[in-house]
Amino acid sequence: MPRKKIRIVPLTRNFQKYGLPLYSADWVWYKLPDPDPDPDPSTSDEVSSAKSKSAQKSYIVLAGGGGEGRSGIPNAVLLVEFDFTAKSLSNLPVSKFVTASDLPYRMAVHPRGDGVVCSFPKSCRLYVIDEEKSEEIKKLVLNLSDKVLTRLEDVGQQLALKFNNEGSALAGGGEDGNLRVIEWPSMEVILDKAGAHKSVKDVDFSPDGKYLVSLGNSGPAKVWDVTSKIAIASLSKENDEIFCFCRFSESNDTNQVLYIAAVTGKGGSIVTWNTKTWKRMGSKTVVRDTISAFSVSPDGKLLACGTTQGDIFILSSSSKQVQTIVRKAHLGFVTALSFAHDSSIYTLNAGLWHLYPWTQVQE
């Protein structure tokens, strides 16, 4: 039986500009009450699944802006809607929270709906999605939470933020090189390591939450045991490699694997690591340009790379073969990539100004 090919198709008619440069983007799922509950036990699983999906809307959180200058470009955190039926983005934000002169640069969406943590030049803030009800209309609004993130106040710019899969811990990596892991929602410190790197560039938790990988502007990546609070492995670079992004995943055989996107003189490459021995399994150059955004699908089957030239590459995680190339998806560099929770459906990508959804189709 011939193997089906998968390609990524841009929904170009649905790209949107929201009036500000976009630096972070991620999916948020909001569960609406079922308007027509069916107590009939004879209802098929297929019908129940269809009803469940129809009761679920998908939203996207965006963060960005013009910074401290007087360009007239606002700094804001946005909530926009994606309609799976119409395959379209809302042309206006569902909700917009302007952040004055503070630029929201990085963010982490809580996996259980407990809000969005955004990093600003000095501190981090928590935003929550509330349902605004009235007799005429029901809509979602993005609000600044009353919760003060005590361990993330006056810590300087955080260049990396990440929740673990359970949402019980939040990791932050600072421009000053400080690495923190904080218990959520108690805000108790789990790990606080000054000088973990010269400047922390990216962090990620393993799927089981036991390990945290961090990398900086120079030097090796480090693997931390979250329980013992110590670095258990140092992942060294080879030749002229510069590590850019790190992502844990589960391979097709359910074993954990670590991918590090790197830049070399030949272009962007993906380095794969064994998470039991922390030995390098292989490295492959996949693009000619610098990788500016990187993501792994939740099912572990696909990798996505965005480049400084505005191109999008979708690769098989097992073979590292490029399945689809979207040239000049953005006029500027790609700033963020995120797969939908159902990794077989959509990839969200953002560049300066533009936001696109892409869908997979089988041929």
Side-chain angles (χ1 to χ4, degrees), residues 23 33 48 65 101 124 145 174 180 184 190 236:
Y23 296 108
S48 298
S101 61
C124 292
S145 173
R180 296 176 176 85
W184 190 270
I190 297 174
S236 300

Side-chain angles (χ1 to χ4, degrees), residues 93-115:
V94 174
S95 182
K96 179 178 181 178
F97 197 100
V98 177
T99 59
S101 61
D102 290 337
L103 172 67
Y105 184 56
R106 291 287 182 260
M107 69 181 183
V109 176
H110 192 274
R112 301 292 181 266
D114 202 15

Side-chain angles (χ1 to χ4, degrees), residues 236-287:
S236 300
K237 303 182 298 178
E238 288 187 357
N239 302 322
D240 61 343
E241 286 178 340
I242 298 175
F243 291 161
C244 301
F245 300 96
C246 51
R247 292 291 181 272
F248 278 102
S249 180
E250 288 187 352
S251 62
N252 295 338
D253 57 4
T254 69
N255 289 323
Q256 295 182 18
V257 63
L258 172 64
Y259 301 106
I260 292 183
V263 176
T264 69
K266 296 180 179 179
S269 64
I270 304 297
V271 187
T272 308
W273 304 81
N274 184 303
T275 57
K276 293 181 179 179
T277 63
W278 301 113
K279 299 295 184 182
R280 179 185 290 243
M281 297 168 62
S283 176
K284 184 174 182 178
T285 300
V286 294
V287 298

Side-chain angles (χ1 to χ4, degrees), residues 37-86:
D38 188 354
D40 185 356
S42 65
T43 301
S44 68
D45 291 341
E46 184 177 347
V47 172
S48 298
S49 177
K51 282 189 174 184
S52 176
K53 190 169 185 179
S54 67
Q56 193 174 42
K57 287 189 176 181
S58 180
Y59 293 86
I60 298 161
V61 178
L62 307 170
E68 297 181 4
R70 298 181 179 179
S71 62
I73 301 172
N75 298 306
V77 183
L78 311 176
L79 183 69
V80 302
E81 184 179 340
F82 182 73
D83 187 328
F84 278 99
T85 302

